[in-house]
mmCIF file with all atom_site columns, all heavy atoms in Angstrom:
data_model
loop_
_atom_site.group_PDB
_atom_site.id
_atom_site.type_symbol
_atom_site.label_atom_id
_atom_site.label_alt_id
_atom_site.label_comp_id
_atom_site.label_asym_id
_atom_site.label_entity_id
_atom_site.label_seq_id
_atom_site.pdbx_PDB_ins_code
_atom_site.Cartn_x
_atom_site.Cartn_y
_atom_site.Cartn_z
_atom_site.occupancy
_atom_site.B_iso_or_equiv
_atom_site.pdbx_formal_charge
_atom_site.auth_seq_id
_atom_site.auth_comp_id
_atom_site.auth_asym_id
_atom_site.auth_atom_id
_atom_site.pdbx_PDB_model_num
ATOM 1   N N   . LEU A 1 1  ? 6.270   6.710  -8.478  1.00 97.00 ? 1  LEU A N   1
ATOM 2   C CA  . LEU A 1 1  ? 6.856   5.714  -7.571  1.00 97.00 ? 1  LEU A CA  1
ATOM 3   C C   . LEU A 1 1  ? 7.193   4.431  -8.312  1.00 97.00 ? 1  LEU A C   1
ATOM 4   O O   . LEU A 1 1  ? 8.207   3.777  -8.024  1.00 97.00 ? 1  LEU A O   1
ATOM 5   C CB  . LEU A 1 1  ? 5.892   5.437  -6.418  1.00 97.00 ? 1  LEU A CB  1
ATOM 6   C CG  . LEU A 1 1  ? 5.636   6.612  -5.465  1.00 97.00 ? 1  LEU A CG  1
ATOM 7   C CD1 . LEU A 1 1  ? 4.630   6.224  -4.399  1.00 97.00 ? 1  LEU A CD1 1
ATOM 8   C CD2 . LEU A 1 1  ? 6.958   7.069  -4.799  1.00 97.00 ? 1  LEU A CD2 1
ATOM 9   N N   . LEU A 1 2  ? 6.350   4.062  -9.268  1.00 97.00 ? 2  LEU A N   1
ATOM 10  C CA  . LEU A 1 2  ? 6.603   2.808  -10.007 1.00 97.00 ? 2  LEU A CA  1
ATOM 11  C C   . LEU A 1 2  ? 7.801   2.920  -10.938 1.00 97.00 ? 2  LEU A C   1
ATOM 12  O O   . LEU A 1 2  ? 8.244   1.898  -11.495 1.00 97.00 ? 2  LEU A O   1
ATOM 13  C CB  . LEU A 1 2  ? 5.348   2.469  -10.805 1.00 97.00 ? 2  LEU A CB  1
ATOM 14  C CG  . LEU A 1 2  ? 4.205   1.806  -9.979  1.00 97.00 ? 2  LEU A CG  1
ATOM 15  C CD1 . LEU A 1 2  ? 2.897   1.858  -10.740 1.00 97.00 ? 2  LEU A CD1 1
ATOM 16  C CD2 . LEU A 1 2  ? 4.564   0.381  -9.622  1.00 97.00 ? 2  LEU A CD2 1
ATOM 17  N N   . MET A 1 3  ? 8.377   4.075  -11.072 1.00 96.00 ? 3  MET A N   1
ATOM 18  C CA  . MET A 1 3  ? 9.602   4.247  -11.811 1.00 96.00 ? 3  MET A CA  1
ATOM 19  C C   . MET A 1 3  ? 10.813  3.780  -10.998 1.00 96.00 ? 3  MET A C   1
ATOM 20  O O   . MET A 1 3  ? 11.861  3.480  -11.553 1.00 96.00 ? 3  MET A O   1
ATOM 21  C CB  . MET A 1 3  ? 9.821   5.721  -12.187 1.00 96.00 ? 3  MET A CB  1
ATOM 22  C CG  . MET A 1 3  ? 8.812   6.289  -13.160 1.00 96.00 ? 3  MET A CG  1
ATOM 23  S SD  . MET A 1 3  ? 8.967   8.078  -13.318 1.00 96.00 ? 3  MET A SD  1
ATOM 24  C CE  . MET A 1 3  ? 10.666  8.194  -13.934 1.00 96.00 ? 3  MET A CE  1
ATOM 25  N N   . LEU A 1 4  ? 10.639  3.723  -9.666  1.00 95.00 ? 4  LEU A N   1
ATOM 26  C CA  . LEU A 1 4  ? 11.759  3.414  -8.776  1.00 95.00 ? 4  LEU A CA  1
ATOM 27  C C   . LEU A 1 4  ? 12.007  1.922  -8.656  1.00 95.00 ? 4  LEU A C   1
ATOM 28  O O   . LEU A 1 4  ? 11.077  1.164  -8.350  1.00 95.00 ? 4  LEU A O   1
ATOM 29  C CB  . LEU A 1 4  ? 11.516  3.999  -7.400  1.00 95.00 ? 4  LEU A CB  1
ATOM 30  C CG  . LEU A 1 4  ? 11.251  5.501  -7.340  1.00 95.00 ? 4  LEU A CG  1
ATOM 31  C CD1 . LEU A 1 4  ? 10.909  5.926  -5.928  1.00 95.00 ? 4  LEU A CD1 1
ATOM 32  C CD2 . LEU A 1 4  ? 12.459  6.290  -7.864  1.00 95.00 ? 4  LEU A CD2 1
ATOM 33  N N   . PRO A 1 5  ? 13.209  1.471  -8.845  1.00 94.00 ? 5  PRO A N   1
ATOM 34  C CA  . PRO A 1 5  ? 13.492  0.027  -8.747  1.00 94.00 ? 5  PRO A CA  1
ATOM 35  C C   . PRO A 1 5  ? 13.059  -0.576 -7.402  1.00 94.00 ? 5  PRO A C   1
ATOM 36  O O   . PRO A 1 5  ? 12.545  -1.671 -7.360  1.00 94.00 ? 5  PRO A O   1
ATOM 37  C CB  . PRO A 1 5  ? 15.033  -0.055 -8.926  1.00 94.00 ? 5  PRO A CB  1
ATOM 38  C CG  . PRO A 1 5  ? 15.349  1.130  -9.766  1.00 94.00 ? 5  PRO A CG  1
ATOM 39  C CD  . PRO A 1 5  ? 14.404  2.215  -9.306  1.00 94.00 ? 5  PRO A CD  1
ATOM 40  N N   . ARG A 1 6  ? 13.299  0.155  -6.278  1.00 94.00 ? 6  ARG A N   1
ATOM 41  C CA  . ARG A 1 6  ? 12.947  -0.417 -4.973  1.00 94.00 ? 6  ARG A CA  1
ATOM 42  C C   . ARG A 1 6  ? 11.433  -0.559 -4.827  1.00 94.00 ? 6  ARG A C   1
ATOM 43  O O   . ARG A 1 6  ? 10.982  -1.447 -4.129  1.00 94.00 ? 6  ARG A O   1
ATOM 44  C CB  . ARG A 1 6  ? 13.541  0.398  -3.832  1.00 94.00 ? 6  ARG A CB  1
ATOM 45  C CG  . ARG A 1 6  ? 12.923  1.786  -3.621  1.00 94.00 ? 6  ARG A CG  1
ATOM 46  C CD  . ARG A 1 6  ? 13.392  2.366  -2.316  1.00 94.00 ? 6  ARG A CD  1
ATOM 47  N NE  . ARG A 1 6  ? 14.819  2.566  -2.287  1.00 94.00 ? 6  ARG A NE  1
ATOM 48  C CZ  . ARG A 1 6  ? 15.565  2.608  -1.186  1.00 94.00 ? 6  ARG A CZ  1
ATOM 49  N NH1 . ARG A 1 6  ? 14.992  2.427  -0.022  1.00 94.00 ? 6  ARG A NH1 1
ATOM 50  N NH2 . ARG A 1 6  ? 16.862  2.808  -1.248  1.00 94.00 ? 6  ARG A NH2 1
ATOM 51  N N   . VAL A 1 7  ? 10.669  0.308  -5.472  1.00 96.00 ? 7  VAL A N   1
ATOM 52  C CA  . VAL A 1 7  ? 9.218   0.182  -5.435  1.00 96.00 ? 7  VAL A CA  1
ATOM 53  C C   . VAL A 1 7  ? 8.770   -0.984 -6.296  1.00 96.00 ? 7  VAL A C   1
ATOM 54  O O   . VAL A 1 7  ? 7.906   -1.761 -5.923  1.00 96.00 ? 7  VAL A O   1
ATOM 55  C CB  . VAL A 1 7  ? 8.517   1.506  -5.860  1.00 96.00 ? 7  VAL A CB  1
ATOM 56  C CG1 . VAL A 1 7  ? 7.025   1.275  -6.085  1.00 96.00 ? 7  VAL A CG1 1
ATOM 57  C CG2 . VAL A 1 7  ? 8.751   2.582  -4.829  1.00 96.00 ? 7  VAL A CG2 1
ATOM 58  N N   . GLN A 1 8  ? 9.352   -1.104 -7.481  1.00 96.00 ? 8  GLN A N   1
ATOM 59  C CA  . GLN A 1 8  ? 8.993   -2.241 -8.345  1.00 96.00 ? 8  GLN A CA  1
ATOM 60  C C   . GLN A 1 8  ? 9.290   -3.559 -7.616  1.00 96.00 ? 8  GLN A C   1
ATOM 61  O O   . GLN A 1 8  ? 8.534   -4.515 -7.735  1.00 96.00 ? 8  GLN A O   1
ATOM 62  C CB  . GLN A 1 8  ? 9.803   -2.183 -9.641  1.00 96.00 ? 8  GLN A CB  1
ATOM 63  C CG  . GLN A 1 8  ? 9.388   -1.039 -10.544 1.00 96.00 ? 8  GLN A CG  1
ATOM 64  C CD  . GLN A 1 8  ? 10.046  -1.102 -11.930 1.00 96.00 ? 8  GLN A CD  1
ATOM 65  O OE1 . GLN A 1 8  ? 10.722  -2.087 -12.261 1.00 96.00 ? 8  GLN A OE1 1
ATOM 66  N NE2 . GLN A 1 8  ? 9.835   -0.078 -12.740 1.00 96.00 ? 8  GLN A NE2 1
ATOM 67  N N   . GLN A 1 9  ? 10.377  -3.594 -6.866  1.00 95.00 ? 9  GLN A N   1
ATOM 68  C CA  . GLN A 1 9  ? 10.770  -4.828 -6.183  1.00 95.00 ? 9  GLN A CA  1
ATOM 69  C C   . GLN A 1 9  ? 10.001  -5.096 -4.899  1.00 95.00 ? 9  GLN A C   1
ATOM 70  O O   . GLN A 1 9  ? 9.569   -6.205 -4.640  1.00 95.00 ? 9  GLN A O   1
ATOM 71  C CB  . GLN A 1 9  ? 12.268  -4.789 -5.893  1.00 95.00 ? 9  GLN A CB  1
ATOM 72  C CG  . GLN A 1 9  ? 13.115  -4.819 -7.124  1.00 95.00 ? 9  GLN A CG  1
ATOM 73  C CD  . GLN A 1 9  ? 14.567  -4.359 -6.851  1.00 95.00 ? 9  GLN A CD  1
ATOM 74  O OE1 . GLN A 1 9  ? 14.974  -4.231 -5.700  1.00 95.00 ? 9  GLN A OE1 1
ATOM 75  N NE2 . GLN A 1 9  ? 15.341  -4.164 -7.898  1.00 95.00 ? 9  GLN A NE2 1
ATOM 76  N N   . ASN A 1 10 ? 9.826   -4.038 -4.079  1.00 95.00 ? 10 ASN A N   1
ATOM 77  C CA  . ASN A 1 10 ? 9.298   -4.204 -2.719  1.00 95.00 ? 10 ASN A CA  1
ATOM 78  C C   . ASN A 1 10 ? 7.862   -3.703 -2.508  1.00 95.00 ? 10 ASN A C   1
ATOM 79  O O   . ASN A 1 10 ? 7.248   -4.036 -1.496  1.00 95.00 ? 10 ASN A O   1
ATOM 80  C CB  . ASN A 1 10 ? 10.200  -3.543 -1.698  1.00 95.00 ? 10 ASN A CB  1
ATOM 81  C CG  . ASN A 1 10 ? 11.606  -4.027 -1.735  1.00 95.00 ? 10 ASN A CG  1
ATOM 82  O OD1 . ASN A 1 10 ? 11.868  -5.213 -2.023  1.00 95.00 ? 10 ASN A OD1 1
ATOM 83  N ND2 . ASN A 1 10 ? 12.581  -3.138 -1.486  1.00 95.00 ? 10 ASN A ND2 1
ATOM 84  N N   . GLY A 1 11 ? 7.387   -2.859 -3.426  1.00 96.00 ? 11 GLY A N   1
ATOM 85  C CA  . GLY A 1 11 ? 6.055   -2.291 -3.268  1.00 96.00 ? 11 GLY A CA  1
ATOM 86  C C   . GLY A 1 11 ? 6.066   -1.058 -2.360  1.00 96.00 ? 11 GLY A C   1
ATOM 87  O O   . GLY A 1 11 ? 7.135   -0.452 -2.117  1.00 96.00 ? 11 GLY A O   1
ATOM 88  N N   . ILE A 1 12 ? 4.888   -0.646 -1.893  1.00 97.00 ? 12 ILE A N   1
ATOM 89  C CA  . ILE A 1 12 ? 4.800   0.565  -1.085  1.00 97.00 ? 12 ILE A CA  1
ATOM 90  C C   . ILE A 1 12 ? 3.905   0.296  0.151   1.00 97.00 ? 12 ILE A C   1
ATOM 91  O O   . ILE A 1 12 ? 3.115   -0.649 0.173   1.00 97.00 ? 12 ILE A O   1
ATOM 92  C CB  . ILE A 1 12 ? 4.178   1.756  -1.863  1.00 97.00 ? 12 ILE A CB  1
ATOM 93  C CG1 . ILE A 1 12 ? 2.779   1.412  -2.369  1.00 97.00 ? 12 ILE A CG1 1
ATOM 94  C CG2 . ILE A 1 12 ? 5.088   2.169  -3.010  1.00 97.00 ? 12 ILE A CG2 1
ATOM 95  C CD1 . ILE A 1 12 ? 2.059   2.596  -3.010  1.00 97.00 ? 12 ILE A CD1 1
ATOM 96  N N   . THR A 1 13 ? 4.103   1.136  1.139   1.00 97.00 ? 13 THR A N   1
ATOM 97  C CA  . THR A 1 13 ? 3.188   1.198  2.280   1.00 97.00 ? 13 THR A CA  1
ATOM 98  C C   . THR A 1 13 ? 2.514   2.545  2.276   1.00 97.00 ? 13 THR A C   1
ATOM 99  O O   . THR A 1 13 ? 3.195   3.574  2.130   1.00 97.00 ? 13 THR A O   1
ATOM 100 C CB  . THR A 1 13 ? 3.937   1.003  3.600   1.00 97.00 ? 13 THR A CB  1
ATOM 101 O OG1 . THR A 1 13 ? 4.442   -0.359 3.675   1.00 97.00 ? 13 THR A OG1 1
ATOM 102 C CG2 . THR A 1 13 ? 3.043   1.243  4.819   1.00 97.00 ? 13 THR A CG2 1
ATOM 103 N N   . VAL A 1 14 ? 1.190   2.570  2.357   1.00 97.00 ? 14 VAL A N   1
ATOM 104 C CA  . VAL A 1 14 ? 0.433   3.822  2.327   1.00 97.00 ? 14 VAL A CA  1
ATOM 105 C C   . VAL A 1 14 ? -0.258  4.008  3.668   1.00 97.00 ? 14 VAL A C   1
ATOM 106 O O   . VAL A 1 14 ? -0.956  3.111  4.150   1.00 97.00 ? 14 VAL A O   1
ATOM 107 C CB  . VAL A 1 14 ? -0.631  3.814  1.212   1.00 97.00 ? 14 VAL A CB  1
ATOM 108 C CG1 . VAL A 1 14 ? -1.354  5.152  1.146   1.00 97.00 ? 14 VAL A CG1 1
ATOM 109 C CG2 . VAL A 1 14 ? 0.018   3.495  -0.130  1.00 97.00 ? 14 VAL A CG2 1
ATOM 110 N N   . ILE A 1 15 ? -0.052  5.152  4.270   1.00 96.00 ? 15 ILE A N   1
ATOM 111 C CA  . ILE A 1 15 ? -0.801  5.549  5.471   1.00 96.00 ? 15 ILE A CA  1
ATOM 112 C C   . ILE A 1 15 ? -1.872  6.516  5.007   1.00 96.00 ? 15 ILE A C   1
ATOM 113 O O   . ILE A 1 15 ? -1.595  7.615  4.504   1.00 96.00 ? 15 ILE A O   1
ATOM 114 C CB  . ILE A 1 15 ? 0.093   6.200  6.528   1.00 96.00 ? 15 ILE A CB  1
ATOM 115 C CG1 . ILE A 1 15 ? 1.091   5.187  7.084   1.00 96.00 ? 15 ILE A CG1 1
ATOM 116 C CG2 . ILE A 1 15 ? -0.772  6.772  7.644   1.00 96.00 ? 15 ILE A CG2 1
ATOM 117 C CD1 . ILE A 1 15 ? 2.064   5.740  8.116   1.00 96.00 ? 15 ILE A CD1 1
ATOM 118 N N   . CYS A 1 16 ? -3.157  6.114  5.117   1.00 92.00 ? 16 CYS A N   1
ATOM 119 C CA  . CYS A 1 16 ? -4.281  6.992  4.766   1.00 92.00 ? 16 CYS A CA  1
ATOM 120 C C   . CYS A 1 16 ? -4.823  7.568  6.087   1.00 92.00 ? 16 CYS A C   1
ATOM 121 O O   . CYS A 1 16 ? -5.495  6.863  6.836   1.00 92.00 ? 16 CYS A O   1
ATOM 122 C CB  . CYS A 1 16 ? -5.356  6.183  4.068   1.00 92.00 ? 16 CYS A CB  1
ATOM 123 S SG  . CYS A 1 16 ? -4.890  5.638  2.442   1.00 92.00 ? 16 CYS A SG  1
ATOM 124 N N   . ASP A 1 17 ? -4.531  8.832  6.298   1.00 92.00 ? 17 ASP A N   1
ATOM 125 C CA  . ASP A 1 17 ? -4.989  9.509  7.509   1.00 92.00 ? 17 ASP A CA  1
ATOM 126 C C   . ASP A 1 17 ? -6.337  10.154 7.173   1.00 92.00 ? 17 ASP A C   1
ATOM 127 O O   . ASP A 1 17 ? -6.447  11.198 6.515   1.00 92.00 ? 17 ASP A O   1
ATOM 128 C CB  . ASP A 1 17 ? -3.981  10.567 7.930   1.00 92.00 ? 17 ASP A CB  1
ATOM 129 C CG  . ASP A 1 17 ? -4.343  11.240 9.247   1.00 92.00 ? 17 ASP A CG  1
ATOM 130 O OD1 . ASP A 1 17 ? -5.504  11.108 9.659   1.00 92.00 ? 17 ASP A OD1 1
ATOM 131 O OD2 . ASP A 1 17 ? -3.466  11.900 9.813   1.00 92.00 ? 17 ASP A OD2 1
ATOM 132 N N   . LEU A 1 18 ? -7.437  9.547  7.661   1.00 87.00 ? 18 LEU A N   1
ATOM 133 C CA  . LEU A 1 18 ? -8.786  10.021 7.379   1.00 87.00 ? 18 LEU A CA  1
ATOM 134 C C   . LEU A 1 18 ? -9.327  10.952 8.435   1.00 87.00 ? 18 LEU A C   1
ATOM 135 O O   . LEU A 1 18 ? -10.517 11.262 8.430   1.00 87.00 ? 18 LEU A O   1
ATOM 136 C CB  . LEU A 1 18 ? -9.733  8.805  7.213   1.00 87.00 ? 18 LEU A CB  1
ATOM 137 C CG  . LEU A 1 18 ? -9.344  7.764  6.169   1.00 87.00 ? 18 LEU A CG  1
ATOM 138 C CD1 . LEU A 1 18 ? -10.427 6.673  6.116   1.00 87.00 ? 18 LEU A CD1 1
ATOM 139 C CD2 . LEU A 1 18 ? -9.138  8.391  4.824   1.00 87.00 ? 18 LEU A CD2 1
ATOM 140 N N   . GLN A 1 19 ? -8.477  11.430 9.332   1.00 84.00 ? 19 GLN A N   1
ATOM 141 C CA  . GLN A 1 19 ? -8.950  12.242 10.423  1.00 84.00 ? 19 GLN A CA  1
ATOM 142 C C   . GLN A 1 19 ? -9.460  13.597 9.980   1.00 84.00 ? 19 GLN A C   1
ATOM 143 O O   . GLN A 1 19 ? -10.152 14.271 10.736  1.00 84.00 ? 19 GLN A O   1
ATOM 144 C CB  . GLN A 1 19 ? -7.842  12.395 11.495  1.00 84.00 ? 19 GLN A CB  1
ATOM 145 C CG  . GLN A 1 19 ? -7.441  11.075 12.131  1.00 84.00 ? 19 GLN A CG  1
ATOM 146 C CD  . GLN A 1 19 ? -6.344  11.206 13.160  1.00 84.00 ? 19 GLN A CD  1
ATOM 147 O OE1 . GLN A 1 19 ? -6.585  11.261 14.342  1.00 84.00 ? 19 GLN A OE1 1
ATOM 148 N NE2 . GLN A 1 19 ? -5.100  11.261 12.695  1.00 84.00 ? 19 GLN A NE2 1
ATOM 149 N N   . GLY A 1 20 ? -9.136  14.002 8.756   1.00 85.00 ? 20 GLY A N   1
ATOM 150 C CA  . GLY A 1 20 ? -9.615  15.279 8.242   1.00 85.00 ? 20 GLY A CA  1
ATOM 151 C C   . GLY A 1 20 ? -10.861 15.139 7.373   1.00 85.00 ? 20 GLY A C   1
ATOM 152 O O   . GLY A 1 20 ? -11.281 16.073 6.677   1.00 85.00 ? 20 GLY A O   1
ATOM 153 N N   . THR A 1 21 ? -11.477 13.950 7.374   1.00 83.00 ? 21 THR A N   1
ATOM 154 C CA  . THR A 1 21 ? -12.663 13.705 6.573   1.00 83.00 ? 21 THR A CA  1
ATOM 155 C C   . THR A 1 21 ? -13.806 14.603 7.012   1.00 83.00 ? 21 THR A C   1
ATOM 156 O O   . THR A 1 21 ? -14.088 14.752 8.192   1.00 83.00 ? 21 THR A O   1
ATOM 157 C CB  . THR A 1 21 ? -13.081 12.237 6.652   1.00 83.00 ? 21 THR A CB  1
ATOM 158 O OG1 . THR A 1 21 ? -12.004 11.429 6.220   1.00 83.00 ? 21 THR A OG1 1
ATOM 159 C CG2 . THR A 1 21 ? -14.276 11.952 5.780   1.00 83.00 ? 21 THR A CG2 1
ATOM 160 N N   . THR A 1 22 ? -14.482 15.198 6.028   1.00 84.00 ? 22 THR A N   1
ATOM 161 C CA  . THR A 1 22 ? -15.674 16.016 6.295   1.00 84.00 ? 22 THR A CA  1
ATOM 162 C C   . THR A 1 22 ? -16.844 15.470 5.474   1.00 84.00 ? 22 THR A C   1
ATOM 163 O O   . THR A 1 22 ? -16.685 14.604 4.634   1.00 84.00 ? 22 THR A O   1
ATOM 164 C CB  . THR A 1 22 ? -15.435 17.487 5.884   1.00 84.00 ? 22 THR A CB  1
ATOM 165 O OG1 . THR A 1 22 ? -15.215 17.544 4.467   1.00 84.00 ? 22 THR A OG1 1
ATOM 166 C CG2 . THR A 1 22 ? -14.202 18.057 6.586   1.00 84.00 ? 22 THR A CG2 1
ATOM 167 N N   . ARG A 1 23 ? -18.008 16.071 5.685   1.00 86.00 ? 23 ARG A N   1
ATOM 168 C CA  . ARG A 1 23 ? -19.185 15.673 4.920   1.00 86.00 ? 23 ARG A CA  1
ATOM 169 C C   . ARG A 1 23 ? -19.026 15.968 3.429   1.00 86.00 ? 23 ARG A C   1
ATOM 170 O O   . ARG A 1 23 ? -19.630 15.346 2.581   1.00 86.00 ? 23 ARG A O   1
ATOM 171 C CB  . ARG A 1 23 ? -20.428 16.319 5.474   1.00 86.00 ? 23 ARG A CB  1
ATOM 172 C CG  . ARG A 1 23 ? -20.889 15.725 6.787   1.00 86.00 ? 23 ARG A CG  1
ATOM 173 C CD  . ARG A 1 23 ? -22.134 16.380 7.362   1.00 86.00 ? 23 ARG A CD  1
ATOM 174 N NE  . ARG A 1 23 ? -22.641 15.657 8.483   1.00 86.00 ? 23 ARG A NE  1
ATOM 175 C CZ  . ARG A 1 23 ? -22.150 15.760 9.729   1.00 86.00 ? 23 ARG A CZ  1
ATOM 176 N NH1 . ARG A 1 23 ? -21.146 16.568 9.958   1.00 86.00 ? 23 ARG A NH1 1
ATOM 177 N NH2 . ARG A 1 23 ? -22.668 15.050 10.731  1.00 86.00 ? 23 ARG A NH2 1
ATOM 178 N N   . ASN A 1 24 ? -18.164 16.949 3.103   1.00 90.00 ? 24 ASN A N   1
ATOM 179 C CA  . ASN A 1 24 ? -17.906 17.250 1.685   1.00 90.00 ? 24 ASN A CA  1
ATOM 180 C C   . ASN A 1 24 ? -17.277 16.051 0.998   1.00 90.00 ? 24 ASN A C   1
ATOM 181 O O   . ASN A 1 24 ? -17.542 15.809 -0.187  1.00 90.00 ? 24 ASN A O   1
ATOM 182 C CB  . ASN A 1 24 ? -16.996 18.475 1.564   1.00 90.00 ? 24 ASN A CB  1
ATOM 183 C CG  . ASN A 1 24 ? -17.711 19.769 1.854   1.00 90.00 ? 24 ASN A CG  1
ATOM 184 O OD1 . ASN A 1 24 ? -18.922 19.869 1.640   1.00 90.00 ? 24 ASN A OD1 1
ATOM 185 N ND2 . ASN A 1 24 ? -17.001 20.750 2.369   1.00 90.00 ? 24 ASN A ND2 1
ATOM 186 N N   . PHE A 1 25 ? -16.416 15.314 1.714   1.00 86.00 ? 25 PHE A N   1
ATOM 187 C CA  . PHE A 1 25 ? -15.846 14.116 1.141   1.00 86.00 ? 25 PHE A CA  1
ATOM 188 C C   . PHE A 1 25 ? -16.907 13.025 0.998   1.00 86.00 ? 25 PHE A C   1
ATOM 189 O O   . PHE A 1 25 ? -17.001 12.353 -0.032  1.00 86.00 ? 25 PHE A O   1
ATOM 190 C CB  . PHE A 1 25 ? -14.700 13.588 2.029   1.00 86.00 ? 25 PHE A CB  1
ATOM 191 C CG  . PHE A 1 25 ? -13.399 14.254 1.748   1.00 86.00 ? 25 PHE A CG  1
ATOM 192 C CD1 . PHE A 1 25 ? -12.868 15.190 2.661   1.00 86.00 ? 25 PHE A CD1 1
ATOM 193 C CD2 . PHE A 1 25 ? -12.641 13.952 0.638   1.00 86.00 ? 25 PHE A CD2 1
ATOM 194 C CE1 . PHE A 1 25 ? -11.655 15.780 2.414   1.00 86.00 ? 25 PHE A CE1 1
ATOM 195 C CE2 . PHE A 1 25 ? -11.404 14.558 0.389   1.00 86.00 ? 25 PHE A CE2 1
ATOM 196 C CZ  . PHE A 1 25 ? -10.910 15.483 1.278   1.00 86.00 ? 25 PHE A CZ  1
ATOM 197 N N   . LEU A 1 26 ? -17.696 12.838 2.045   1.00 82.00 ? 26 LEU A N   1
ATOM 198 C CA  . LEU A 1 26 ? -18.678 11.745 2.043   1.00 82.00 ? 26 LEU A CA  1
ATOM 199 C C   . LEU A 1 26 ? -19.677 11.920 0.909   1.00 82.00 ? 26 LEU A C   1
ATOM 200 O O   . LEU A 1 26 ? -20.130 10.924 0.372   1.00 82.00 ? 26 LEU A O   1
ATOM 201 C CB  . LEU A 1 26 ? -19.428 11.712 3.396   1.00 82.00 ? 26 LEU A CB  1
ATOM 202 C CG  . LEU A 1 26 ? -18.533 11.379 4.616   1.00 82.00 ? 26 LEU A CG  1
ATOM 203 C CD1 . LEU A 1 26 ? -19.409 11.316 5.870   1.00 82.00 ? 26 LEU A CD1 1
ATOM 204 C CD2 . LEU A 1 26 ? -17.827 10.059 4.415   1.00 82.00 ? 26 LEU A CD2 1
ATOM 205 N N   . ARG A 1 27 ? -19.980 13.146 0.527   1.00 85.00 ? 27 ARG A N   1
ATOM 206 C CA  . ARG A 1 27 ? -20.918 13.380 -0.575  1.00 85.00 ? 27 ARG A CA  1
ATOM 207 C C   . ARG A 1 27 ? -20.387 12.841 -1.902  1.00 85.00 ? 27 ARG A C   1
ATOM 208 O O   . ARG A 1 27 ? -21.148 12.575 -2.830  1.00 85.00 ? 27 ARG A O   1
ATOM 209 C CB  . ARG A 1 27 ? -21.195 14.883 -0.718  1.00 85.00 ? 27 ARG A CB  1
ATOM 210 C CG  . ARG A 1 27 ? -21.985 15.473 0.437   1.00 85.00 ? 27 ARG A CG  1
ATOM 211 C CD  . ARG A 1 27 ? -22.432 16.896 0.134   1.00 85.00 ? 27 ARG A CD  1
ATOM 212 N NE  . ARG A 1 27 ? -22.985 17.542 1.305   1.00 85.00 ? 27 ARG A NE  1
ATOM 213 C CZ  . ARG A 1 27 ? -22.359 18.420 2.095   1.00 85.00 ? 27 ARG A CZ  1
ATOM 214 N NH1 . ARG A 1 27 ? -21.128 18.795 1.797   1.00 85.00 ? 27 ARG A NH1 1
ATOM 215 N NH2 . ARG A 1 27 ? -22.980 18.958 3.124   1.00 85.00 ? 27 ARG A NH2 1
ATOM 216 N N   . GLN A 1 28 ? -19.083 12.720 -2.011  1.00 85.00 ? 28 GLN A N   1
ATOM 217 C CA  . GLN A 1 28 ? -18.461 12.254 -3.272  1.00 85.00 ? 28 GLN A CA  1
ATOM 218 C C   . GLN A 1 28 ? -18.439 10.734 -3.375  1.00 85.00 ? 28 GLN A C   1
ATOM 219 O O   . GLN A 1 28 ? -18.295 10.197 -4.487  1.00 85.00 ? 28 GLN A O   1
ATOM 220 C CB  . GLN A 1 28 ? -17.004 12.760 -3.353  1.00 85.00 ? 28 GLN A CB  1
ATOM 221 C CG  . GLN A 1 28 ? -16.833 14.260 -3.046  1.00 85.00 ? 28 GLN A CG  1
ATOM 222 C CD  . GLN A 1 28 ? -17.492 15.154 -4.065  1.00 85.00 ? 28 GLN A CD  1
ATOM 223 O OE1 . GLN A 1 28 ? -17.566 14.841 -5.245  1.00 85.00 ? 28 GLN A OE1 1
ATOM 224 N NE2 . GLN A 1 28 ? -18.000 16.295 -3.586  1.00 85.00 ? 28 GLN A NE2 1
ATOM 225 N N   . PHE A 1 29 ? -18.554 10.047 -2.263  1.00 82.00 ? 29 PHE A N   1
ATOM 226 C CA  . PHE A 1 29 ? -18.284 8.619  -2.224  1.00 82.00 ? 29 PHE A CA  1
ATOM 227 C C   . PHE A 1 29 ? -19.525 7.809  -2.540  1.00 82.00 ? 29 PHE A C   1
ATOM 228 O O   . PHE A 1 29 ? -20.038 7.059  -1.684  1.00 82.00 ? 29 PHE A O   1
ATOM 229 C CB  . PHE A 1 29 ? -17.687 8.214  -0.862  1.00 82.00 ? 29 PHE A CB  1
ATOM 230 C CG  . PHE A 1 29 ? -16.367 8.879  -0.553  1.00 82.00 ? 29 PHE A CG  1
ATOM 231 C CD1 . PHE A 1 29 ? -15.985 9.043  0.760   1.00 82.00 ? 29 PHE A CD1 1
ATOM 232 C CD2 . PHE A 1 29 ? -15.536 9.344  -1.558  1.00 82.00 ? 29 PHE A CD2 1
ATOM 233 C CE1 . PHE A 1 29 ? -14.775 9.642  1.071   1.00 82.00 ? 29 PHE A CE1 1
ATOM 234 C CE2 . PHE A 1 29 ? -14.325 9.941  -1.276  1.00 82.00 ? 29 PHE A CE2 1
ATOM 235 C CZ  . PHE A 1 29 ? -13.939 10.117 0.028   1.00 82.00 ? 29 PHE A CZ  1
#
């Protein structure tokens, strides 16, 4: 994404959908 001029200029918006989080993930954190 950082290769793209519009990203370098404007940045990004990230949607982190955590609704699929399980205990397997929590064990890693």
